[in-house]
Amino acid sequence: FGVAPLSFRNTELVFDDVRLSVYRKGAPSLRVHAEHLELMRTTGALTARTARFEFELDALTLTAPTLTGNVNTLSFDATGGVMIASLDGTLTATTPSAHFEGREGTRGIATGSEPIAVRGTKDGRPFSLDARRFRYDVEAQHATFDEAVSRVGGP
């Protein structure tokens, strides 16, 4: 765990192998791991490499090679090949990049303007969905897809 020396003149914090846990009402709601993280204290600008988020409340993980954004505005971009997966392994979604606005909706809105591929199983039957772009309301657990092609069952 590496930390940049702290002083009032040093506005950039640099961490390696960062692990954070966020609790809600005494229970873990989010776990974060990043190989490298840089945070500008004065602006809230954040950059992370090899980031993994475990959303305990939603039973989902998100991994991305690069995450940039701002902790003050709760606006983030994940790039380099984003993967979202259910903790039980029944669902995966991959897209080149995704954007998150934490102040939209009740718990945030995730969007993607690049193609997304969703794969999973429901009641033992495989399904797939490919779409041009997406929008996901975290609180409602509702996704909308543009120009989607889906398939249930079969190879």
Side-chain angles (χ1 to χ4, degrees):
F1 186 76
V3 179
L6 295 177
S7 74
F8 290 108
R9 292 188 320 270
N10 187 359
T11 60
E12 182 179 31
L13 301 175
V14 178
F15 303 93
D16 290 312
D17 195 21
V18 177
R19 296 175 194 273
L20 303 169
S21 293
V22 177
Y23 290 81
R24 264 195 190 159
K25 298 180 182 178
S29 63
L30 172 65
R31 296 183 197 280
V32 180
H33 176 242
E35 284 186 8
H36 183 81
L37 184 136
E38 296 178 13
L39 174 66
M40 293 297 294
R41 293 185 328 169
T42 54
T43 64
L46 174 133
T47 302
R49 271 196 332 256
T50 314
R52 176 183 170 88
F53 297 81
E54 293 179 11
F55 301 94
E56 302 289 333
L57 295 174
D58 306 307
L60 294 173
T61 63
L62 179 143
T63 57
T66 304
L67 180 80
T68 58
N70 190 289
V71 296
N72 296 332
T73 64
L74 298 178
S75 179
F76 300 96
D77 290 298
T79 58
V82 178
M83 184 167 83
I84 301 163
S86 61
L87 292 177
D88 66 7
T90 59
L91 175 77
T92 61
T94 56
T95 183
S97 65
H99 178 76
F100 179 76
E101 285 294 334
R103 294 201 170 133
E104 281 190 37
T106 304
R107 290 179 50 213
I109 303 290
T111 58
S113 58
E114 295 185 85
I116 185 168
V118 181
R119 304 290 181 264
T121 58
K122 175 85 172 154
D123 300 324
R125 295 180 59 189
F127 68 86
S128 65
L129 180 138
D130 294 289
R132 185 169 177 180
R133 60 185 153 267
F134 71 94
R135 182 178 193 276
Y136 180 70
D137 183 318
V138 176
E139 178 66 24
Q141 299 273 310
H142 179 78
T144 55
F145 300 94
D146 289 346
E147 299 179 34
V149 175
S150 62
R151 180 181 175 101
V152 177

